[in-house]
């Protein structure tokens, strides 16, 4: 699986676990909602800065973000 898909899948998983919409996540991370959609669907090559914004907005420790079976497949 492509790394863009894995990162997007993990963001979507964490967002759904928190019960928040793409729009709410985008607002909290101060990025565009359509960008979040594209990232979650693996259509964007996300920058490190935007990845950091999303992880912080999800209130997830960086270690926990990458400590997922998604990245071990």
């Amino acid at each position: 699986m492509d790394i863009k898909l894995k990162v997007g899948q993990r963001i979507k998983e964490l967002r759904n676990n928190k019960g928040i919409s793409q729009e709410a996540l985008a607002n909290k991370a101060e990025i565009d909602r359509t960008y979040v959609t594209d990232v979650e669907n693996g259509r964007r090559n996300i920058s490190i800065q935007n990845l950091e914004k999303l992880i912080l907005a999800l209130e997830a420790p960086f270690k926990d973000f990458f400590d997922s079976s998604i990245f071990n497949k």
Side-chain angles (χ1 to χ4, degrees):
M1 180 185 292
D2 183 287
I3 189 64
K4 292 184 296 187
L5 289 171
K6 290 179 182 182
V7 168
Q9 187 178 12
R10 182 63 172 149
I11 290 169
K12 185 175 184 176
E13 177 182 61
L14 292 171
R15 180 179 60 76
N16 286 333
N17 289 346
K18 291 233 176 241
I20 60 174
S21 67
Q22 287 179 339
E23 186 171 8
L25 176 60
N27 288 336
K28 193 169 182 182
E30 299 180 345
I31 58 177
D32 190 81
R33 184 207 48 83
T34 59
Y35 184 84
V36 173
T37 301
D38 287 346
V39 167
E40 285 188 355
N41 290 307
R43 293 190 299 256
R44 286 286 187 132
N45 191 9
I46 189 169
S47 71
I48 293 171
Q49 289 95 350
N50 284 339
L51 180 59
E52 178 184 34
K53 287 179 181 182
L54 288 169
I55 292 172
L56 291 173
L58 289 164
E59 299 172 356
F62 288 86
K63 178 186 178 295
D64 291 351
F65 182 85
F66 291 104
D67 188 21
S68 167
S69 62
I70 291 170
F71 296 107
N72 297 320
K73 293 180 184 176

